[in-house]
Amino acid sequence: MSSKRSVAKQIAALPFHWDKNGKLRVLMVTSRDRGRWIMPKGWTMDGKKPWQAAKIEALEEAGAVGYVADQAIGVYHYKKKLEKGRSVICRVTVYPMVVDKLKRRWKERDERKRHWFSLNKAAKLVEEPELSDLLRELARDTKKLTELNDLRLVA
């Protein structure tokens, strides 16, 4: 028997930039529990648009400052462990973020590590299959991310 489980909504930022060699890099952070590589993510926030909440998460979890698009580039699901052995399925909507700078000091700097990776390397490091697929898809076609960067430069 399977019971109907509700799906919790979360948002994530996919912080990225082009390095000095012109290679696209994405910024990943470690989770606080087991040190898994993840994107900065969190719960939706009352009074904030989803992409605004994603921007806040990127600042708090990774110290990333930049431009977040209001159009999502994908969705993935994962099982979040809660207290007392409970868990919930989360649907994470991903918003791309062009990183302008990284802060040296940020809210969760003592709780997480951050690192730039290629999309393919990030896809290999994450545990969530749907997130891995999304990162691989972006690696095959960086057009969405390039267009976002170009839009930001014009705006």
Side-chain angles (χ1 to χ4, degrees):
M1 274 187 234
S2 68
S3 61
K4 276 274 194 193
R5 293 180 61 170
S6 63
V7 175
K9 291 182 181 171
Q10 288 193 317
I11 46 77
L14 176 60
F16 71 93
H17 79 136
W18 280 265
D19 68 15
K20 62 182 186 287
N21 298 318
K23 291 186 174 20
L24 181 67
R25 300 285 183 219
V26 293
L27 186 67
M28 306 296 282
V29 296
T30 53
S31 64
R32 289 188 286 202
D33 58 357
R34 295 187 292 125
R36 299 174 341 270
W37 288 106
I38 61 171
M39 285 188 289
K41 69 180 182 322
W43 304 106
T44 56
M45 300 175 189
D46 288 341
K48 300 280 183 204
K49 300 284 186 192
W51 60 91
Q52 292 169 327
K55 186 173 188 171
I56 291 167
E57 292 296 340
L59 177 61
E60 290 180 355
E61 294 186 4
V65 178
Y67 173 80
V68 177
D70 60 3
Q71 294 293 312
I73 54 168
V75 171
Y76 71 96
H77 297 82
Y78 79 104
K79 187 190 289 190
K80 181 171 183 66
K81 292 180 175 74
L82 304 171
E83 315 85 45
K84 300 177 185 169
R86 295 182 309 130
S87 64
V88 63
I89 300 297
C90 292
R91 179 183 197 270
V92 184
T93 304
V94 180
Y95 294 90
M97 174 186 198
V98 182
V99 176
D100 291 323
K101 70 177 184 175
L102 292 180
K103 290 185 163 280
R104 285 198 184 123
R105 297 172 55 81
W106 70 97
K107 186 174 181 180
E108 297 183 15
R109 70 186 174 278
D110 296 330
E111 302 168 67
R112 301 179 188 273
K113 292 177 185 152
R114 65 182 178 192
H115 190 77
W116 291 105
F117 296 105
S118 70
L119 284 161
N120 283 320
K121 179 71 172 178
K124 288 177 187 161
L125 292 171
V126 298
E127 290 184 2
E128 300 83 0
E130 290 178 9
L131 176 54
S132 182
D133 290 346
L134 173 62
L135 293 167
R136 282 191 176 90
E137 183 184 316
L138 289 168
R140 281 190 299 274
D141 181 11
T142 60
K143 186 176 164 197
K144 289 179 186 176
L145 300 179
T146 304
E147 287 173 351
L148 174 61
N149 189 54
D150 292 347
L151 272 174
R152 179 189 63 94
L153 295 173
V154 177

